[in-house]
Structure formats: structure tokens, C-alpha cells
Amino acid sequence: MHRRRPDAQRWSLRVDPPWSLDAWRGAAREALLRGLSPEQLDWLESSAGSLLDAPAATQAPLLETPSVPHVPSAFLELASTCLCHADAQPMPLLYRLLWRIVHGERALLSNPTDADVLRAMTMAQAVRRDTHKMKAFVRFREIPGEQDAFIAWFEPQHRIVDRVAAFFARRFAGMRWAILTPYRSVHWDGQALSFGAGGHREQAPAEDARETLWQTYYASIFNPARLNTRMMQQEMPARYWRHLPEAQLLPGLIRDAGDRVQAMHDRPAQPPQRRIPSRRATSPVPSPSSDLATLQRQAAGCRQCPLWESTTQVVFGEGPGDARVMLVGEQPGDTEDLCGRPFAGPAGALLDRALSELGIARSALYLTNAVKHFHHERRGKVRLHKRPQGRHVQACRPWLLGEIERVRPEIIVCLGATAASAVFGSHFSLTRDRARWHTLPDGTRGSATVHPAWVLRQADEVRREDAYRLFRDDLRQLLIGDAESTGRRPALPPTSEG
Ligand code: URA
């Protein structure tokens, strides 16, 4: 299809602007349609002609069956980057690559050792690096007398203004700005980008108030002990310094860094200003002689595990100090953490429903938890319940035992596996031992049933009702039925309304 023309006639092609992929692509297409080989072409940048120029390639005769084959998108991507390279003439190189690709070397770009490919890749890399630096180092200055209007002066190494303009438009969409460079300028009016001729450094304001603020901030965050000038120069090459307000400070900051580090070294150590929890030293422990109210006050300062740091307060037990029945739950939830009372949230409401259906007055019970701080995980504004860990249960155990010792209930009913293992030990299995009586070393009888939160977590209404009945029937058996079947004195007086 594409045959090299036998004559050595030269032809010229103009690309304007020279960094435009569309312009170059159009010109390259004309050359391919005429079968013009790379050696026959002079690639020209400006639209101004000269008498010595070869005739325009569009004057060359078309091939008998002209067509342009499909070009891999990777080539177009590479071409659009290389065309921004200011020094090494990318246009003849790109046409040579294109010519080779359409003449059978379809996989040419995957051969990085090919000299043409290597040159193009190196060019593209330089352009990409310059693009990155421009995004990082452009500094806008306010135009005096205008509101929300800014100008930046920047000297890129390559012709990348068109390439990065969309980035700045997205980033600073809400302000009006212009970036001037020696070869081209770009302007954003809040709606659209427009491009113009290059400018001069003096056209951009020299300094604005923000700059002084930025310099003060930069000087205050500059840490002399972490100064690494080699890294700094790699990341912020000196040629970009003239664009950066902070660069004026750098020589002084770098010069003084050694002395400042020495001064930091010589300064006597300061006590930390942030509160660092001292774990055991200041954490109260239950004193044997304290009554229930004192125990509660002591527990409020507990620091035996880290849970206190992210919670509102300790949620201590509540109920008559001589209650004959103690219910032990797992830990306070979100509502309980905020209001400071056990079983005040949704699980508490379900417990209340069961007690009321059984005719048991909540006020007759002592309600507490195995863990007295709310273990949770934050997801945005929401605090999600997390099961307490063994170490949390262990840390809280002295307070729970303190409550049991002082209230001396006749029976303890644990709600859920965490409470049961805190009271009976880790060998307790809720599946196996649910609603069975155990005797604690001090003679207190204890048992366990499911937790009301488990009832609430059931997947659908039917399952929830089944689970609820199980929970309520366990409570009935443990709190009422037992006394009826054994002839023991009922542990609970009936409610006034029940
Ligand atoms: N779940 C518990 O185990 N205790 C409470 O206090 C609240 C919810």
C-alpha cells in the first residue's frame, strides 16, 4: 500500500502550534497518503514561510490507493507527550516511528532497546517530569485592586502549558487566574480556558500578602533536624526556586540549620505537653472497705485499660444496693455511654419489654455490665459497637466483683456470653449451659441467657420474635419459675402494675 517514492524530492510540512498532536497528526496523515518517507520530509514549526523551503507536502501527488491504517493508541499518547519537548526535535522522530509502525513493525513500541523508541521514551519522560514540577511549583499572586484574580509566572523547560492547563482549571475552578510563561500564556475566567502569547516576568505581581503569610508558615514548619539538601534539590531543583516564595528563605534556613539542631540538642528536656495516660500508677482500685457509692466514684477514674480514652464515662451498675437479683450485661452501648446508665438504649428497651411482660419491676434489679466502658469503632460520625476483648473484661473484673460483694444478690443472671464468662469463667458455654444454674464460690447461684442485643440483631421479624420468646422465657424460668418449682422464696417482688 505505502511504497517509498523512487525520487528524492523533498517536501515540507508545517505544524502549528508545534506541540499540538492534532496539528502534527494532520500533517503526518497528508505525508502517509502520499507515501512520503521520513527522509523526504522537512518538518517546520512556524506558519511563516521562506523561499528556501521545500514545497508543501500537500502538493505531492496522492498514492493510487491512498489510505491511513489504524495507529495504536499507545503511539498517539507517546506522540502527544513528545511533541511538548522543546529541545530535541520530536516531529521527524515521531514520523519515523509512525512510518515503521504502518510498514509492518506493529509491535515496535514494545521494544525499548530500539534507538528511536528509546529516544522518544526519554523525551516523554522529560516532559512528564516538567509537567509534574509545574503542577507543584506554580505560585499565584493576587492582582492588586482586583478581587479573586491571580497571576503566576512560570518558566517550564518544555512546551507544556496546554498540557497542564486543564489541571489548573480543575484545581482553581473558583478563581480567575492566568499563568504566564515565556512562550505561551493561559487564562481561566471561571468558565473557560483561553491561550495567548508568552509574557514577561514583570507582568506578574512581585509579591502579595499571602506570600508573606506563606513564608512565615514555611519558616515555622521547617525542621532543621530533617534537612536533607540532596533530597531537597532532587525534589525542588534550583531552577524552580525563582517561582517559589519560600525559596528566598531557604539559603538562610539551610545556613542556620546546623546551629538550630545543636541548640535543640543542648536544650534541657521538656515534659510532654500532651496527656500521656499512665496506665496503672494513677488508676484507682476498689478499696475493700468502700461502700457501693464509693466504689462507683473510684471506678469513674479507672484507667486499667485504654477504653477510657475514647469514651464519655464509666457506666457503673444501677439499682438497689441490696437487690436480690443482679443482671450482668456485656458493656454499655452508645446511648449508655452518653447518658451514664446501663441498659438505657435499644437493648435496654427490649429488656424492659420482657420484664414488663413477666411482671418484674426493673427497679427491683441491680443492672450492671462486665465491662464498664463502651468499646467501639468510629465510622464517620457513627460509633459502632465492638465486642470487648478479654483484657477489657479482666481490667473491669475488680469492679464487677466489687459490686457482687457489696450487693450480695441471691441470684445473678448474665446476659450473653461475655457476661457469662466474666462471672463463671472462660469454660462457660452459652450454647451448652444456657438457663442452667451454677453455684459461685461464695454460694451465689448464677445462670445465663442470650443478650437482648442478639435478639435485635436477628435477620427478620419472625426470627426476632422467636429469639425474643427464648430470651423472655429464659428470664421467666430463671427469675420466677425456679422459685415456683423449688418452693424457694421468689427473688423478685411482683411489679405494682404486674
Ligand atoms: N448492652 C449491654 O450489655 N449493657 C448495656 O448497658 C447496654 C447494652
Side-chain angles (χ1 to χ4, degrees):
M1 175 192 46
H2 293 283
R3 280 183 301 102
R4 190 176 291 214
R5 298 181 76 89
D7 56 275
Q9 160 92 53
R10 295 194 72 80
W11 304 93
S12 66
L13 282 161
R14 287 180 194 288
V15 179
D16 190 21
W19 51 85
S20 159
L21 177 66
D22 285 346
W24 180 83
R25 206 175 166 185
R29 190 168 186 281
E30 296 297 337
L32 283 182
L33 290 173
R34 289 163 174 82
L36 302 178
S37 70
E39 299 75 29
Q40 289 180 274
L41 295 175
D42 292 334
W43 290 88
L44 306 173
E45 282 201 354
S46 80
S47 50
S50 124
L51 284 176
L52 299 178
D53 286 349
T58 46
Q59 292 172 20
L62 290 168
L63 288 171
E64 281 155 27
T65 49
S67 76
V68 177
H70 176 74
V71 178
S73 58
F75 173 77
L76 295 177
E77 173 62 36
L78 180 68
S80 82
T81 312
C82 287
L83 284 166
C84 298
H85 201 287
D87 312 326
Q89 266 273 318
M91 291 188 282
L93 171 68
L94 289 171
Y95 188 72
R96 198 159 55 244
L97 283 171
L98 179 64
W99 181 265
R100 292 176 61 190
I101 289 170
V102 301
H103 285 86
E105 295 183 67
R106 299 289 300 175
L108 177 59
L109 293 188
S110 47
N111 177 10
T113 57
D114 180 273
D116 285 342
V117 174
L118 183 63
R119 242 185 99 210
M121 299 279 187
T122 311
M123 257 187 213
Q125 194 182 17
V127 170
R128 278 196 297 269
R129 194 176 312 117
D130 199 35
T131 305
H132 171 75
K133 298 293 180 205
M134 182 163 174
K135 289 179 184 173
F137 296 139
V138 159
R139 295 283 186 272
F140 288 101
R141 284 156 184 173
E142 202 155 17
I143 303 176
E146 290 198 37
Q147 217 184 343
D148 275 340
F150 298 82
I151 293 193
W153 169 253
F154 193 78
E155 292 169 47
Q157 277 198 298
H158 300 289
R159 298 185 286 202
I160 54 173
V161 170
D162 295 54
R163 199 178 155 76
V164 291
F167 164 84
F168 287 102
R170 276 195 306 275
R171 189 79 175 279
F172 302 107
M175 52 192 231
R176 290 177 300 128
W177 52 259
I179 302 175
L180 307 182
T181 77
Y183 84 97
R184 192 154 170 84
S185 61
V186 55
H187 174 241
W188 170 254
D189 62 4
Q191 306 279 325
L193 287 168
S194 50
F195 295 88
H200 301 285
R201 190 189 178 96
E202 302 73 48
Q203 289 171 285
E207 193 174 290
D208 69 14
R210 279 157 219 249
E211 216 150 273
T212 317
L213 199 66
W214 168 245
Q215 285 174 334
T216 311
Y217 170 73
Y218 187 85
S220 74
I221 58 158
F222 180 86
N223 182 350
R226 303 193 65 184
L227 175 64
N228 179 340
T229 40
R230 211 166 61 91
M231 274 282 276
M232 187 181 243
Q233 272 166 13
Q234 257 171 26
E235 280 305 302
M236 201 200 280
R239 67 171 168 277
Y240 297 107
W241 286 24
R242 59 179 167 267
H243 305 297
L244 306 176
E246 66 268 30
Q248 298 164 21
L249 306 174
L250 282 174
L253 290 171
I254 293 170
R255 193 187 53 235
D256 298 343
D259 290 347
R260 285 179 61 195
V261 171
Q262 187 59 46
M264 282 158 82
H265 188 261
D266 295 343
R267 205 175 303 140
Q270 301 283 317
Q273 298 189 347
R274 193 178 157 263
R275 181 187 53 161
I276 294 180
S278 89
R279 302 199 68 208
R280 294 181 193 282
T282 62
S283 187
V285 287
S287 58
S289 58
S290 57
D291 59 13
L292 197 57
T294 312
L295 194 71
Q296 177 165 5
R297 274 198 300 282
Q298 291 171 332
C302 183
R303 305 286 184 260
Q304 294 288 342
C305 79
L307 291 187
W308 68 275
E309 285 187 280
S310 55
T311 52
T312 315
Q313 56 193 315
V314 157
V315 179
F316 202 72
E318 161 184 285
D322 59 353
R324 291 165 64 194
V325 173
M326 179 181 280
L327 295 192
V328 182
E330 182 191 73
Q331 64 163 357
D334 188 64
T335 313
E336 290 82 8
D337 171 74
L338 296 172
C339 76
R341 295 185 49 222
F343 289 101
L350 195 75
L351 173 64
D352 288 348
R353 174 181 160 199
L355 293 176
S356 128
E357 285 177 17
L358 297 175
I360 296 170
R362 173 173 164 139
S363 57
L365 309 176
Y366 186 89
L367 297 179
T368 192
N369 284 300
V371 172
K372 304 200 189 306
H373 277 121
F374 174 33
H375 187 212
H376 62 275
E377 181 184 319
R378 235 179 218 290
R379 291 264 176 88
K381 290 186 181 162
V382 181
R383 299 190 300 171
L384 296 179
H385 165 278
K386 274 184 97 175
R387 193 173 235 245
Q389 298 166 359
R391 62 192 177 120
H392 305 137
V393 174
Q394 275 311 315
C396 253
R397 208 148 184 274
W399 304 114
L400 178 62
L401 292 180
E403 289 175 292
I404 295 174
E405 274 164 21
R406 282 156 187 82
V407 177
R408 299 199 62 79
E410 286 172 28
I411 60 176
I412 298 176
V413 174
C414 300
L415 306 180
T418 302
S421 64
V423 172
F424 304 118
S426 55
H427 56 274
F428 188 94
S429 153
L430 194 61
T431 324
R432 187 188 59 209
D433 302 328
R434 209 193 88 238
R436 289 209 199 136
W437 287 110
H438 293 252
T439 305
L440 292 169
D442 68 352
T444 313
R445 294 182 340 126
S447 188
T449 183
V450 294
H451 195 285
W454 171 80
V455 176
L456 294 172
R457 280 199 303 272
Q458 297 303 304
D460 56 52
E461 194 53 43
V462 175
R463 277 178 239 202
R464 256 195 305 282
E465 262 315 297
D466 286 349
Y468 171 71
R469 267 198 298 279
L470 179 141
F471 170 62
R472 187 197 53 199
D473 293 349
D474 275 1
L475 287 181
R476 174 188 287 120
Q477 181 198 323
L478 295 172
L479 302 181
I480 305 170
D482 177 62
E484 284 170 2
S485 64
T486 58
R488 286 174 199 271
R489 182 169 69 112
L492 292 164
T495 52
S496 49
E497 60 279 11

